[in-house]
């Protein structure tokens, strides 16, 4: 998510739609199914969205038609609702005063309960985001007034950026599960909100602070106004450190890259092995592989070449695409790995398909031994807060022991970092983190009726 506000007299110079485009470009790793931008010129809001990557959806001529001084943008991967145009964001609804455009990162867990407050026939799409947008438009008194009522009743993960014709708003759930940061555009006297600090960097915005859990801000000609709609109960997503966030992003004052390298060092101490070379599964395994090599003294090298133009494998929704994706994505460097005992460092094992394919590829290419090291604990529980790990039945660690997983992926040995070491490397206290996909302790209780097929299939 990305949002920008500049003073009206700076609109032509600042080109908010292009700033948003660049911001989304930097945040593309967070969602690759659809992209959209809404822009207000002070009188009306125009939305453009479509299926595809940011660079496929927008070109210069489209961006030139999106003129104004406020914009919100989004790149989506679906966790609720199917990947269709109707479910792409921003969502837009007309109101008595004009309109409201909203983007959302996260996943609500009381969508059905919230939807019951809406008159029948209100919804046109199938997402929690659509329900939230409709609720914010259903009340009189403007978005801020509506949000004061709606957000305290909203449960789950929601980092939000929304706008009417005149004001940019941002809010974060009381647990602060998904990140959201505020930056300033020094040259234009403007403000930016983004899912990650990497989204600020690309447009030259200065990091100001994180939006606090339970905080809502409004930005207009009077500056930034902040208020609380709930007490903060911080439970930031631990998986952001492992996989989701960019390495050049900073969370809670610490770079994600530094955390990942440190996790790699600890992984080497927890799961040492005699080997000739440490290689990463590029790119997300790279920082931890650097740390592993550093702490173990085993040389670091490249053994797999990644095609950078293929998206992250598990983010894509269907199993058919996912399996094809693995073959499209990585190719072994035969001359670098032939006859060598390899340590392959990856960020996580979700279904096990990627690692099984990689181990097979490396053996076919002549590796003498393949030792797999994973910079997160086994993902054994589904996520209800915005990561699509699917059902517990599909999670390999939900069903198999470490030794059984090793056997299933065909590795000579397998080691996962322990949860305590991962948490310690993040420099965040354990009770301020969500780590439910690793330990099954859900910080926001998920009603049985909201668990959908995920946990019901797992028999919980
Ligand atoms: S369950 Fe895992 S992925 Fe989901 S919010 Fe918690 S730590 Fe993050």
């Amino acid at each position: 998510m990305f949002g920008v506000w500049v003073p009206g007299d700076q609109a032509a110079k600042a080109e908010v739609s292009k700033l948003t485009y660049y911001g989304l470009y930097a945040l593309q790793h967070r969602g690759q199914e659809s992209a959209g931008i809404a822009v207000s010129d002070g009188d009306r809001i125009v939305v453009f969205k479509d299926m595809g990557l940011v660079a496929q959806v927008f070109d210069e001529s489209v961006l030139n038609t999106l003129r104004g001084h406020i914009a919100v943008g989004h790149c989506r991967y679906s966790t609720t609702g199917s990947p269709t145009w109707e479910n792409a964001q921003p969502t837009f609804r007309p109101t008595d005063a004009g309109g409201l455009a909203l983007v959302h990162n996260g996943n609500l867990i009381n969508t059905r309960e919230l939807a019951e407050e809406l008159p029948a026939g209100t919804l046109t799409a199938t997402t929690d985001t659509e329900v939230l947008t409709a609720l914010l438009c259903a009340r009189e008194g403007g978005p801020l007034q509506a949000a004061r009522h709606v957000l305290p009743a909203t449960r789950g993960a929601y980092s939000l950026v929304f706008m009417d014709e005149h004001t940019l708003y941002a809010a974060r759930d009381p647990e602060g599960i998904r990140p959201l940061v505020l930056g300033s555009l020094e040259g234009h006297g403007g403000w930016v909100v983004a899912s990650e600090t990497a989204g600020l960097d690309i447009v030259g915005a200065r990091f100001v602070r994180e939006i606090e859990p339970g905080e809502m801000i409004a930005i207009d000609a009077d500056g930034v106004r902040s208020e609380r709609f709930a007490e903060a109960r911080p439970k930031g997503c631990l998986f952001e450190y492992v996989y989701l966030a960019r390495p050049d992003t900073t969370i809670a004052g610490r770079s994600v890259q530094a955390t990942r390298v440190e996790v790699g060092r600890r992984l080497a101490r927890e799961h040492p092995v005699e080997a000739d070379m440490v290689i990463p599964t590029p790119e997300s395994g790279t920082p931890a592989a650097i740390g592993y090599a550093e702490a173990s003294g085993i040389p670091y090298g490249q053994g797999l070449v990644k095609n950078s133009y293929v998206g992250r494998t598990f983010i894509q929704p269907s199993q058919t695409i996912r399996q094809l994706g693995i073959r499209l994505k990585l190719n072994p460097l035969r001359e670098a790995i032939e006859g060598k005992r390899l340590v392959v460092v990856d960020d996580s094992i979700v279904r096990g398909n990627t690692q099984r394919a990689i181990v097979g590829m490396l053996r076919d290419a002549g590796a003498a031994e393949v030792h797999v090291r994973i910079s997160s604990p086994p993902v054994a529980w589904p996520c209800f807060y915005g990561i699509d790990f699917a059902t517990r039945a599909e999670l390999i660690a939900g069903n198999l022991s470490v030794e059984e997983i090793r056997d299933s992926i065909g590795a000579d040995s397998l080691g996962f970092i322990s949860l305590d070491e991962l948490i310690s490397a993040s420099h965040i206290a354990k009770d301020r983190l969500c780590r439910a996909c690793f330990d099954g302790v859900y910080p926001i209780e998920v009603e049985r009726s909201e668990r959908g097929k995920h946990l019901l299939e797992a028999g919980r």
Side-chain angles (χ1 to χ4, degrees), residues 177-178 237-239 382-385 387 389 434-437 442:
I177 302 250
R178 300 276 147 241
C237 169
L238 185 54
F239 208 67
C383 173
F384 300 101
Y385 314 135
I387 305 282
F389 287 144
C434 174
R435 63 251 171 211
C437 50
Y442 289 91

Side-chain angles (χ1 to χ4, degrees), residues 85-258:
W85 186 89
E86 290 73 23
N87 289 340
Q89 298 186 32
T91 53
F92 174 81
R93 288 187 87 86
T95 63
D96 291 344
L100 183 91
L102 178 143
V103 294
H104 170 208
N105 181 209
N107 195 24
L108 305 187
I109 57 166
N110 65 336
T111 308
R112 279 176 233 181
E113 182 190 318
L114 291 170
E116 280 166 13
E117 292 182 29
L118 292 165
T122 308
L123 300 173
T124 55
T126 58
T127 66
D128 51 353
T129 310
E130 174 71 11
V131 171
L132 205 48
T133 311
L135 283 168
L136 289 174
C137 292
R139 287 181 175 269
E140 292 178 358
L144 206 55
Q145 190 64 14
R148 287 179 189 130
H149 283 93
V150 172
L151 297 187
T154 304
R155 295 177 62 237
Y158 53 96
S159 282
L160 304 174
V161 185
F162 49 111
M163 61 190 258
D164 57 18
E165 283 75 7
H166 313 287
T167 308
L168 179 70
Y169 306 91
R172 203 167 165 211
D173 58 83
E175 286 76 15
I177 302 250
R178 300 276 147 241
L180 189 60
V181 295
L182 173 69
S184 64
L185 274 174
E186 308 283 293
H188 304 292
W191 299 92
V192 174
V193 285
S195 289
E196 297 182 28
T197 58
L200 304 182
D201 297 339
I202 197 168
V203 297
R206 184 179 62 83
F207 171 75
V208 174
R209 65 178 178 85
E210 297 191 2
I211 311 292
E212 294 291 321
E215 181 189 11
M216 177 163 58
I217 62 168
I219 303 172
D220 57 20
D222 295 329
V224 179
R225 299 183 303 286
S226 162
E227 65 181 72
R228 284 213 155 274
F229 62 89
E231 281 299 308
R233 303 182 290 267
K235 297 283 180 194
C237 169
L238 185 54
F239 208 67
E240 292 276 348
Y241 293 92
V242 169
Y243 174 83
L244 199 57
R246 276 172 59 137
D248 53 342
T249 275
T250 299
I251 304 178
R254 181 166 156 81
S255 99
V256 170
Q257 169 84 3

Side-chain angles (χ1 to χ4, degrees), residues 359-399:
V359 172
M361 269 193 307
L362 293 171
R363 288 203 195 281
D364 288 348
E369 292 174 17
V370 182
H371 302 275
V372 175
R373 296 293 179 270
I374 305 294
S375 62
S376 64
V379 174
W381 301 93
C383 173
F384 300 101
Y385 314 135
I387 305 282
D388 187 16
F389 287 144
T391 66
R392 188 153 196 235
E394 289 172 300
L395 295 170
I396 192 166
N399 302 282

Side-chain angles (χ1 to χ4, degrees), residues 342-356:
L342 301 175
V343 178
V344 187
V345 182
D346 207 344
D347 58 276
S348 55
I349 295 185
V350 177
R351 292 171 179 82
N353 298 331
T354 310
Q355 288 72 24
R356 194 175 302 112

Side-chain angles (χ1 to χ4, degrees), residues 3 5 14 38 53 61 84 89 123 150 184 224 244 266 292 380 413 458:
W5 178 94
L53 301 170
S61 60
T84 59
Q89 298 186 32
L123 300 173
V150 172
S184 64
V224 179
L244 199 57
R266 291 168 187 244
Y292 194 101
S413 73

